[in-house]
Structures are given as C-alpha cells and as structure tokens.
C-alpha cells in the first residue's frame, strides 16, 4: 500500500490510481528564461524519485512536465513583466530564442542528473488554442468576465476557492488587494487574469495571439494567456481532466495551484487532481536562493568546483521531499565523500551479480511506499553493504535499489577481465613486435584482440586490459 501526503486535506492517504496500474502525473516545469538553479534541480530530482518509485512498484507512469515559455509574470500573480520578455531584453534575443537556449541548458542538466525523460514535455506556446478554449468555456459558464485589459476568473463564484491552502481569502492571495491594481475593470482584487489583452502595460507584448475575445483596445482579441491557464490546459489535453498526482514547489500552493484548481474544476466539472504533492525548497546557507546575492548556483557551477552531478543527486537523496534542505559547500563535500565510500565498497564486491535479497527488498519497498521516504530507503543500501549476504547478493540487491535512487552505482563495479593463456601469449607477442618496431604486426594483434572484446590500453606503467562490449 502506498501512502502519500496530500496537500489537499493535509494528511497521508492511501494511493489509488484512476486507471489500474497507471499513474497520471503532472509537474509544473521551469520558466525557461534563465538557467535553472540547483533548487529547481531539487524539484526535478524529487519528481524523478517519485516516478521511479512508482515504476519500481510496478506502475506505468505517464509523466508530463511542461516548459513555461509565455505568460509567467515576474510575480506569480498579475503584476510585473513577462519573464520571457525580461530574458529576451537581457540577452537581446527573441523570446523563442531565449526559450530554446534555456530548454537545452535545462535538458542537459536534468540528463546529467540522471533523471528519466518525461512522457510529454509540452511548451505552453503550443497549447494556446487549448487555453483559449478553456477561457471560452469559463466565460460561457459565467465563471469569467472581461475588462478592457484582461479576462478575469471570478473568484467569488467558487465557494471553496482556498481549499488547497486552507487559508482564508485575505491570507491566500499574498499580493492581491495591493493598491497598485491597475485595472479598474477588475471586480475583486482576488480575481486573476486568464487572458491578457495586448493593451495597457502589456501593449508592447512580444508574444501574442488572436483570440475570439474582445476589447476595444485591441484588434482580433490579441493577447496572451495568464500563466495558470497553461497547466490547466496542457494537463487536460495530455492526461485528461483528472490527474492522479499534481506536483510542484510549495510556493505554488496559495496562488498558482489554487488558481489552476479553480479554473479547471469549473471548466471540467471534475477534480483536477486526486493527490497534490508539494516539494519543500532548497535553501543556501539557510537563506532563499537568489541570483542577486549569488546563491542561485547552477549545476555547471557545481561541476566547475570538482563535484559530479551524482554527488549532488546523492546530496538530494538525504532529505525528505517535504523537508527544507540546506545547501552548503561543506555539506556537498560530505555527500561526495559518502558516495565515494559507497562506490569503493561496491567495487570490493567483485563483478558477479547474484539474486536480490527479498527481505531487504521488502524493507526498501515499505520505506518508499511511506510517502516516498527516500532518505530512509537509502539507509537500507548501507545495511545491505554491512550485512552477511554474499557479495553477489549484495551487488544484485544494491543495483536493484538503484533503479529508484538513480546513482549509476553499476559504474562502480570492477570489471575484472579474465585473461586466457592464448590471449596472454598474444599480448606478449605484441609487446615483442612493438619493441622490434614492427608496428604493423603490433596493430594487427591489437585489432584481433579488439574483435574478441578485449581492448589494450598502453599507459606509462605498462599495458592495461579492458573488456569492451
Ligand atoms: P520556476 O522556473 O521558477 O517556475 O521553477 C521551476 C520549478 O522549481 C517549480 O516547480 C518551483 O516550485 C521549483 N523551485 C523553485 N525554487 C526552488 C527551490 N529553492 N527549491 C526547490 N524547488 C524550487
Ligand atoms: Zn503549473
């Protein structure tokens, strides 16, 4: 039985999928206007660990993680400028070029961190029609209204608008109600934009689409979707009206996810997600990660300092996803040491892989099934290393657990090459040929051995033998 802490209701609940054996999972992905920091990477690894846990437990996971390439303003609400435009101006590129550039940085980083590919990686700009469709439905059903500047979702129409955060309305929307509300056509400060017309402060918006909506300030309903609308539209199109799991960072509870729920549930007459799973943040030196104070480290900065992506992954495995985790260089050093020690122990186990120990496996399953308790599951790996199991069983069990942990532990196995007498003779013959400068013969022997899966590596302390497949 899998127990998951559901932010909706704030307690652990037994997981029951909508479709047997299948998990429909959506994670709010990156806004691709800048390099993502290691805090963002923590969120991606957490989703990966959850996906891998489900797969280990026998489920098929249909995982969607979007790219936000339009509509996310510098606040999570209706204030500020579009982040993509900010990135475009900073680098003198178009929003499309900025998106392409930072999607490729992100994809390299998450691949280096050994996260599995999502099933779908939609770009918001490719789903504007679906967003327009949902806005139209909300207008038709009376949940939305237009001003000259935007179309707003009418929060007063939803009695349980704050059900996810559990806060009252005044607390729930941190920035709403502030004096600088710029649109006199907005009925209630808590209402949020689901479509912005290309007018007012957005009159020079670089990314815009025609729409069936009308404002006296624009032609053809020109504008762009509100940020929250994209996840609602993409989740519905790719996974259906109700998800098993909707994930995202903890900061999304009061605004982004609250608004996604309101608009999706009113448009679709169905719950948006059965489980809401939120990851806590990574802090640096116990403070918020921030570009301006130089603590928004990227993966490449970690690697430049001599750490591998797996050192960082190992660091992330040590905190539960619902706990804050604090990054310091010393903590990362300790993680590197811990991973190096584990790999050294694995390399002492030989290269024969036996059978998985069922008792340890049971224990591992209990721990990942308890709200994905990865730090506790990781402890089982060390118990296996210390146990009285045979080396072959230890290896098999650890590699089995690594399907969830994703630490590439297989690479630590010593590949011992057993050299037959015939091969030994050939190597000696090649050495002689080399000494007498008969390089043609030496190369020929080298090629013969390679065709048998044996590579000779000439180094300062003699010839080394490597098995190749
Ligand atoms: P963004 O590009 O800001 O929309 O963030 C992409 C993802 O990273 C979102 O799911 C955020 O919730 C998450 N995130 C942002 N900052 C942090 C952090 N410091 N620690 C963990 N996750 C974060
Ligand atoms: Zn989202």
């Amino acid at each position: 039985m899998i127990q998951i802490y559901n932010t909706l209701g704030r307690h652990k609940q037994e997981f029951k999928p909508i479709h047997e054996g299948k998990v429909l999972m959506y994670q709010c992905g990156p806004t691709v206007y800048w390099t993502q920091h290691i805090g963002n990477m923590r969120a991606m690894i957490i989703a990966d660990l959850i996906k891998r846990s489900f797969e280990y437990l026998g489920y098929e996971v249909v995982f969607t993680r979007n790219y936000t390439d339009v509509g996310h303003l510098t606040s999570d609400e209706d204030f500020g400028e579009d982040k993509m435009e900010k990135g475009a101006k900073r680098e003198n590129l178009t929003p499309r070029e900025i998106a392409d550039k930072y999607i490729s940085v992100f994809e390299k980083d998450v691949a280096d961190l050994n996260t599995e590919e999502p099933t779908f990686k939609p770009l918001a700009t490719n789903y504007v029609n679906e967003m327009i469709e949902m806005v139209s439905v909300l207008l038709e059903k009376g949940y939305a209204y237009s001003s000259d500047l935007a179309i707003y979702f009418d929060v007063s129409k939803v009695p349980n608008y704050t059900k996810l955060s559990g806060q009252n309305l005044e607390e729930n929307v941190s920035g709403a109600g502030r004096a600088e509300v710029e649109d006199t056509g907005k009925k209630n400060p808590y209402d949020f934009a689901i479509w912005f017309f290309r007018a007012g402060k957005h009159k020079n918006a670089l990314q815009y689409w025609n729409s069936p909506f009308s404002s006296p300030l624009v032609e053809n309903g020109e504008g762009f979707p509100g940020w929250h609308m994209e996840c609602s539209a993409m989740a519905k199109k790719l996974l259906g009206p109700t998800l098993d799991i909707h994930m995202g960072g903890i900061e999304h509870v009061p605004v982004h996810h609250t608004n996604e729920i309101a608009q999706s549930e009113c448009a679709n007459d169905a719950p948006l997600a059965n489980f809401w799973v939120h990851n806590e943040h990574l802090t640096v030196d116990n403070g918020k990660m921030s570009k301006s104070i130089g603590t928004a480290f990227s993966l490449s900065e970690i690697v430049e300092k001599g750490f591998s992506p797996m050192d960082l992954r190992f660091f992330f495995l040590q905190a539960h996803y619902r706990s804050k985790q604090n990054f310091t260089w010393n903590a990362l050093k300790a993680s590197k040491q811990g991973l190096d020690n584990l790999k050294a122990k694995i390399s002492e186990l030989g290269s024969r892989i036996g059978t998985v120990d069922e008792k340890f496996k049971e224990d591992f399953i209990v721990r990942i099934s308890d709200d994905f308790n990865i730090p506790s599951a990781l402890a089982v790996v060390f118990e296996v290393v210390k146990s009285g199991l045979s080396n072959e069983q230890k290896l098999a069990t650890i590699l089995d657990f690594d399907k969830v942990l994703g630490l590439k532990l297989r690479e630590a196995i010593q590949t011992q090459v057993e050299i037959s007498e015939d091969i030994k003779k050939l190597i000696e013959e090649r050495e002689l040929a080399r000494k007498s400068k008969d390089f043609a013969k030496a190369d020929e022997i080298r090629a013969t051995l390679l065709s048998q899966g044996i590579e000779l590596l000439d180094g300062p302390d003699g010839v080394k033998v490597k098995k190749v497949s």
Side-chain angles (χ1 to χ4, degrees):
M1 177 172 82
I2 306 176
Q3 292 270 339
I4 304 175
Y5 183 88
N6 194 345
T7 307
L8 191 63
R10 299 194 182 245
H11 63 277
K12 278 190 201 172
Q13 260 173 269
E14 184 184 344
F15 177 71
K16 291 218 173 76
I18 299 166
H19 308 285
E20 209 184 319
K22 208 171 189 175
V23 181
L24 305 175
M25 179 162 139
Y26 186 95
Q27 181 188 27
C28 296
T31 306
V32 283
Y33 78 118
W34 223 337
T35 303
Q36 291 268 298
H37 55 56
I38 55 172
N40 303 126
M41 291 300 133
R42 181 182 185 212
M44 304 311 143
I45 286 180
I46 285 169
D48 185 57
L49 291 166
I50 291 178
K51 175 176 182 282
R52 285 169 178 264
S53 296
F54 274 123
E55 285 166 348
Y56 188 83
L57 297 169
Y59 289 89
E60 177 201 346
V61 183
V62 189
F63 177 37
T64 298
R65 182 178 59 215
N66 71 289
Y67 290 119
T68 296
D69 58 352
V70 67
H72 191 178
L73 305 186
T74 42
S75 77
D76 281 353
E77 295 147 69
D78 296 349
F79 311 107
E81 110 188 83
D82 186 299
K83 287 187 177 184
M84 294 306 296
E85 293 199 3
K86 197 175 162 180
K89 282 181 204 150
R90 185 185 66 233
E91 301 189 27
N92 208 11
L93 294 171
T94 63
R96 181 75 270 125
E97 288 165 338
I98 285 288
D100 289 345
K101 175 176 173 182
Y102 289 107
I103 286 172
S104 62
V105 173
F106 176 82
E107 296 216 332
K108 178 171 187 325
D109 286 355
V110 288
D112 286 350
L113 286 164
N114 201 24
T115 65
E116 292 180 346
E117 275 279 285
T119 320
F120 300 111
K121 302 184 289 183
L123 267 73
T125 48
N126 288 337
Y127 289 80
V128 174
N129 285 341
E130 284 76 6
M131 297 184 220
I132 288 175
E133 168 71 29
M134 197 175 273
V135 173
S136 304
V137 170
L138 291 171
L139 280 167
E140 271 162 35
K141 287 184 161 182
Y143 289 111
Y145 62 90
S146 311
S147 80
D148 290 355
L149 293 174
I151 296 178
Y152 292 104
F153 185 91
D154 187 344
V155 165
S156 70
K157 297 276 164 66
V158 196
N160 52 358
Y161 172 67
T162 60
K163 67 179 177 186
L164 187 66
S165 69
Q167 295 169 327
N168 62 41
L169 195 56
E170 291 71 29
E171 292 169 321
N172 195 96
V173 186
S174 50
R178 57 166 100 169
E180 61 188 82
V181 174
E182 291 161 354
D183 186 358
T184 49
K186 191 172 180 176
K187 288 191 202 159
N188 182 327
Y190 309 112
D191 295 347
F192 58 92
I194 50 181
W195 184 263
F196 288 102
F197 290 112
R198 193 169 182 250
K201 67 175 180 171
H202 297 298
K203 69 173 182 297
N204 296 318
L206 298 175
Q207 299 191 96
Y208 55 92
W209 291 260
N210 289 344
S211 79
F213 317 125
S214 59
S215 154
L217 303 179
V218 299
E219 308 255 306
N220 304 318
E222 259 175 15
F224 60 93
W227 171 44
H228 319 298
M229 194 37 84
E230 65 175 62
C231 293
S232 286
M234 289 186 282
K236 182 179 181 188
K237 175 83 179 179
L238 296 168
L239 299 173
T242 303
L243 312 166
D244 288 300
I245 310 257
H246 194 314
M247 291 192 60
I250 191 83
E251 81 283 8
H252 289 331
V253 174
V255 181
H256 183 50
H257 288 170
T258 288
N259 292 347
E260 274 187 39
I261 289 175
Q263 63 201 9
S264 285
E265 298 191 352
C266 290
N268 303 335
D269 295 316
L272 173 54
N274 289 339
F275 284 82
W276 285 86
V277 174
H278 290 100
N279 64 275
E280 252 299 350
H281 276 188
L282 184 74
T283 54
V284 171
D285 296 331
N286 287 311
K288 198 172 172 339
M289 298 191 62
S290 145
K291 276 229 187 269
S292 55
I293 56 168
T295 53
F297 302 121
S298 64
L299 181 63
S300 60
E301 287 169 277
I302 300 290
V303 171
E304 273 160 30
K305 294 233 178 187
F307 297 96
S308 75
M310 286 307 99
D311 297 334
L312 184 65
R313 187 171 174 114
F314 190 73
F315 169 76
F316 287 140
L317 295 189
Q318 289 164 69
H320 188 260
Y321 78 89
R322 282 195 290 118
S323 304
K324 280 199 171 62
Q325 188 177 25
N326 187 43
F327 176 88
T328 63
W329 290 104
N330 276 338
L332 185 59
K333 246 181 244 166
S335 284
K336 180 179 176 48
Q337 193 79 60
L339 182 59
D340 286 348
N341 289 346
L342 175 61
K343 289 201 291 201
K345 295 236 165 66
I346 291 172
S347 74
E348 287 163 14
L349 298 175
S351 57
R352 271 201 168 61
I353 301 170
T355 52
V356 176
D357 181 79
E358 286 306 318
K359 266 190 99 166
F360 278 118
K361 186 174 174 116
E362 234 169 71
D363 193 9
F364 186 81
I365 286 177
V366 165
R367 295 173 196 222
I368 60 172
S369 305
D370 178 15
D371 198 24
F372 312 108
N373 195 341
I374 298 294
S376 171
L378 182 61
V380 185
V381 172
F382 292 92
E383 284 172 29
V384 170
V385 170
K386 279 189 288 178
S387 73
L389 295 181
S390 69
N391 285 351
E392 288 101 81
Q393 275 180 305
K394 283 185 185 176
L395 257 191
T397 310
I398 292 169
L399 292 183
D400 184 57
F401 297 169
D402 201 37
K403 289 178 193 159
V404 175
L405 307 174
L407 290 168
K408 300 187 178 175
L409 296 176
R410 188 175 282 279
E411 291 177 6
I413 300 174
Q414 283 291 351
T415 38
Q416 288 156 355
V417 183
E418 283 170 24
I419 307 174
S420 68
E421 281 306 310
D422 287 353
I423 288 173
K424 248 188 217 162
K425 263 193 207 138
L426 276 175
I427 294 171
E428 279 164 17
E429 244 177 72
R430 176 173 174 269
E431 280 306 283
L432 283 175
R434 264 163 38 109
K435 276 191 190 131
S436 56
K437 302 216 183 314
D438 185 355
F439 295 117
K441 184 168 180 198
D443 284 348
E444 194 186 309
I445 296 174
R446 191 172 197 286
T448 308
L449 288 172
L450 199 57
S451 70
Q452 296 173 23
I454 288 174
E455 190 182 0
L456 300 180
L457 306 167
D458 299 312
D461 29 277
V463 188
K464 288 219 168 74
V465 181
K466 193 180 156 200
K467 219 173 206 165
V468 287
S469 47

